[in-house]
Amino acid sequence: MFINFIYLAKSTKKTMLTLTLVCAITFLLVCSGTFFPYSSNPANPKPKRVFLQHMTRTFHDLEGNAVKRDSGIWINGFDYTGMSHITPHIPEINDSIRAHCEENAPLCGFPWYLPVHFLIRKNWYLPAPEVSPRNPAHFRLISKEQTPWDSIKLTFEATGPSHMSFYVRAHKGSTLSQWSLGNGTPVTSKGGDYFVFYSHGLQASAWQFWIEVQVSEEHPEGMVTVAIAAHYLSGEDKRSPQLDALKERFPDWTFPSAWVCTYDLFVF
């Protein structure tokens, strides 16, 4: 009906130009924040969702040495405005602390709770002191063995909170052929890395699993990079003084979800 209306107009060209101009002006006004998109009105709430993860990251090399360690509050906003409306309320959250992708780490080296890294292009990393959960996560290689079909089987064990994420990136010349997860066939997330979400009840034994790597050529920097993130979503370990203080500063039209997590990366 709309298309028919355009063709029935006296001047199709002028009608199209007018509609294009109206759309362009509306788009610019929305993007500039002239139309404020959020509301804390209980009758018609329109909250801005923000994830705040206070984390400590540790990166290990092929020999198992810790080569990098940092801590901060990782911030994700789940809409097109990013932090533009938050910065006037919390000035330190601005584009000068935009998070940088760790190119050699799966999913850019951040503790994604879900594999939505390809949907969210901008996030922020505010430096903060280290976190110290009372129930720290532990991750270790149990065994490394050659299979009869010339692949390498790596068996791992992980203990930690009820929610953990495991990430894998195969290096050049290596292929993840099998694993003990799901139906046994590894499936990549968008971008080529592998993402596994693991959760359990209050009482659970150590999580043991294996991955099998097919190596077509030797690589001096190892076969795979793996990382595990421990998400503390309940209890006292969920909180930190810095996280609580930052969360309180968000305006009432936001809905910040906040928790503590740790991230450990290894190369094999």
Side-chain angles (χ1 to χ4, degrees):
M1 291 178 65
F2 185 70
I3 294 174
N4 290 336
F5 168 76
I6 292 175
Y7 281 112
L8 289 172
K10 186 175 181 180
S11 173
T12 303
K13 184 178 180 181
K14 288 183 179 179
T15 303
M16 290 298 293
L17 287 173
T18 301
L19 291 172
T20 302
L21 184 62
V22 169
C23 289
I25 291 173
T26 303
F27 177 78
L28 290 172
L29 288 172
V30 169
C31 290
S32 66
T34 302
F35 299 134
F36 192 72
Y38 311 109
S39 170
S40 59
N41 182 357
N44 187 27
K46 299 175 183 176
K48 175 180 178 62
R49 296 188 63 197
V50 181
F51 277 12
L52 308 172
Q53 293 172 244
H54 188 178
M55 66 171 180
T56 293
R57 300 189 299 179
T58 307
F59 297 78
H60 300 83
D61 62 14
L62 189 57
E63 284 72 42
N65 303 311
V67 293
K68 178 180 177 181
R69 187 176 175 91
D70 61 25
S71 299
I73 298 177
W74 186 44
I75 304 165
N76 275 289
F78 287 83
D79 59 37
Y80 70 96
T81 66
M83 291 292 115
S84 60
H85 293 296
I86 302 296
T87 302
H89 299 268
I90 312 176
E92 57 265 44
I93 301 179
N94 56 63
D95 280 348
S96 70
I97 60 162
R98 282 275 300 277
H100 300 290
C101 178
E102 294 284 345
E103 298 292 345
N104 295 323
L107 277 65
C108 279
F110 284 105
W112 291 95
Y113 185 72
L114 296 170
V116 293
H117 55 290
F118 60 94
L119 294 175
I120 302 169
R121 300 296 183 185
K122 294 181 180 180
N123 34 74
W124 291 259
Y125 193 36
L126 183 65
E130 289 190 8
V131 296
S132 301
R134 293 179 302 175
N135 177 32
H138 295 283
F139 179 79
R140 67 187 181 99
L141 176 70
I142 295 178
S143 64
K144 177 181 179 181
E145 55 188 302
Q146 182 95 28
T147 69
W149 42 92
D150 290 331
S151 64
I152 305 296
K153 183 178 180 181
L154 303 172
T155 302
F156 302 107
E157 180 180 270
T159 58
S162 58
H163 295 76
M164 292 187 282
S165 303
F166 178 67
Y167 321 92
V168 185
R169 172 177 292 181
H171 294 184
K172 182 180 179 183
S174 300
T175 306
L176 209 62
S177 55
Q178 297 183 71
W179 59 14
S180 60
L181 307 165
N183 65 1
T185 302
V187 178
T188 62
S189 62
K190 192 162 184 176
D193 295 329
Y194 298 85
F195 175 94
V196 177
F197 181 75
Y198 173 75
S199 64
H200 62 74
L202 294 178
Q203 302 295 329
S205 56
W207 180 32
Q208 288 191 5
F209 60 95
W210 53 263
I211 64 174
E212 210 168 277
V213 185
Q214 198 79 40
V215 181
S216 60
E217 60 180 88
E218 292 296 327
H219 201 284
E221 297 179 359
M223 302 177 294
V224 291
T225 295
V226 305
I228 192 156
H231 303 277
Y232 296 88
L233 301 176
S234 60
E236 285 302 310
D237 280 343
K238 174 184 178 179
R239 305 175 61 180
S240 73
Q242 295 78 18
L243 195 58
D244 289 345
L246 182 64
K247 185 178 176 181
E248 288 299 316
R249 294 175 62 191
F250 276 78
D252 57 7
W253 40 264
T254 62
F255 186 81
S257 299
W259 68 93
V260 164
C261 58
T262 58
Y263 176 97
D264 291 277
L265 178 143
F266 303 88
V267 181
F268 299 100

